[in-house]
Amino acid sequence: MALLVFEHSASAGSLRLGATLRDYGHPLVTIRTHAGDDVPADLDGVDGIVSMGAALSLDDPLPWLEAEMDLIREAHERELPVVGICLGCQIVARALGGTTGPMDDGIELGFVPFELNAIGRDDPMFTGMPWTTHQFAWHCDEVKDLPAGARLLASSPQCNVQAWASGLRTYGFQYHPEVYPHTIEEWIERHPDDLADADLTPEDLRDQMARHGDDFARYAVRLFESIALFLMPVDRRYQGQIKDLHH
């Protein structure tokens, strides 16, 4: 049994999240849709799904999108853990009946104020985290409407849906807790037009990173440890295997 990780860009992999999951004993099977990997036809041998980001829009012609959403929908219905980050957050939302689209302000980029609401403050994924932090965002699209029954957990001034949950084991995070400083540097080089659109220079973004980067990294590790230990505990996999042996 393994966690299925969808990566949609060579520069936007699972990064810190993948490293934390592996550190806590989770085997990962990575599907690189940008490299032409096929989406699995079923959930055999899968005990959770992670869907990562990319500089894409769900309105682009993406040949793998429907198959990935079908698998996410099935995993959610089975109450398997599902986590979506940035583009993945939007994929999970759309798979479960939500809507996505371009941001009203065009782009949200940088270390932005991130506010947990009353529900988010009590959510186990954010246990021990301040109610207000600065999180790293880089996106032009967003979740417009959450799936029916989903819970909004956090917002920023430009983006209402920064974190959300549905049921007990499905979570979406619009921001980028997975990135390292070198990831941000790579994106600065790859996407200078985005910085211009956000009225930022590379020096502006590096200054933000100097001021907020250490806290951001600490809170990211805390979030991913909660995901690894509580949302996707390894012992649940072993319990399932033991149950199968008894049948």
Side-chain angles (χ1 to χ4, degrees):
M1 303 288 282
L3 299 177
L4 192 62
V5 179
F6 287 101
E7 294 186 353
H8 310 105
S9 167
S11 64
S14 59
L15 302 173
R16 196 191 304 270
L17 172 56
T20 304
L21 291 171
R22 286 189 293 267
D23 286 347
Y24 282 90
H26 293 280
L28 308 181
V29 173
T30 301
I31 305 298
R32 296 177 174 87
T33 60
H34 59 92
D37 291 352
D38 292 330
V39 176
D42 53 50
L43 291 171
D44 288 352
V46 174
D47 57 7
I49 292 179
V50 175
S51 181
M52 298 305 303
L56 299 171
S57 169
L58 297 190
D59 294 326
D60 294 337
L62 304 172
W64 44 264
L65 179 58
E66 290 299 326
E68 182 176 331
M69 290 198 300
D70 287 345
L71 215 57
I72 286 170
R73 193 176 302 112
E74 182 180 352
H76 174 76
E77 291 171 354
R78 291 192 190 183
E79 297 187 343
L80 296 177
V82 176
V83 171
I85 291 182
C86 199
L87 180 75
C89 168
Q90 298 164 30
I91 291 173
V92 175
R94 187 178 286 194
L96 302 187
T99 64
T100 66
M103 293 191 63
D104 293 340
D105 293 338
I107 190 169
E108 182 182 51
L109 198 164
F111 287 83
V112 301
F114 175 93
E115 182 79 24
L116 293 169
N117 62 22
I119 299 172
R121 294 167 192 170
D122 290 334
D123 191 275
M125 293 302 102
F126 293 107
T127 297
M129 290 179 59
W131 293 354
T132 301
T133 58
H134 280 80
Q135 301 292 354
F136 182 70
W138 194 315
H139 62 110
C140 298
D141 287 6
E142 64 183 347
V143 176
K144 294 293 188 181
D145 299 292
L146 286 171
R151 308 181 301 280
L152 179 65
L153 304 177
S155 304
S156 67
Q158 283 184 263
C159 179
N160 184 51
V161 182
Q162 280 286 359
W164 63 279
S166 180
L168 295 176
R169 299 189 179 96
T170 295
Y171 281 82
F173 305 96
Q174 181 59 63
Y175 64 107
H176 282 285
E178 83 282 9
V179 298
Y180 296 108
H182 68 80
T183 316
I184 297 173
E185 289 291 345
E186 181 180 349
W187 292 359
I188 288 172
E189 294 297 321
R190 283 176 175 263
H191 306 289
D193 290 347
D194 285 354
L195 287 170
D197 289 343
D199 198 24
L200 290 171
T201 67
E203 290 71 26
D204 292 333
L205 195 52
R206 292 180 183 122
D207 180 64
Q208 291 180 14
M209 185 160 45
R211 285 185 284 120
H212 303 296
D214 288 346
D215 286 342
F216 163 78
R218 184 168 65 253
Y219 301 142
V221 170
R222 188 172 298 172
L223 171 66
F224 292 155
E225 287 179 341
S226 294
I227 289 174
L229 291 169
F230 303 115
L231 185 63
M232 300 177 171
V234 173
D235 64 345
R236 183 182 299 143
R237 180 186 311 123
Y238 296 140
Q239 288 169 5
Q241 292 172 349
I242 292 170
K243 183 178 179 181
D244 290 341
L245 289 174
H246 286 300
H247 284 288

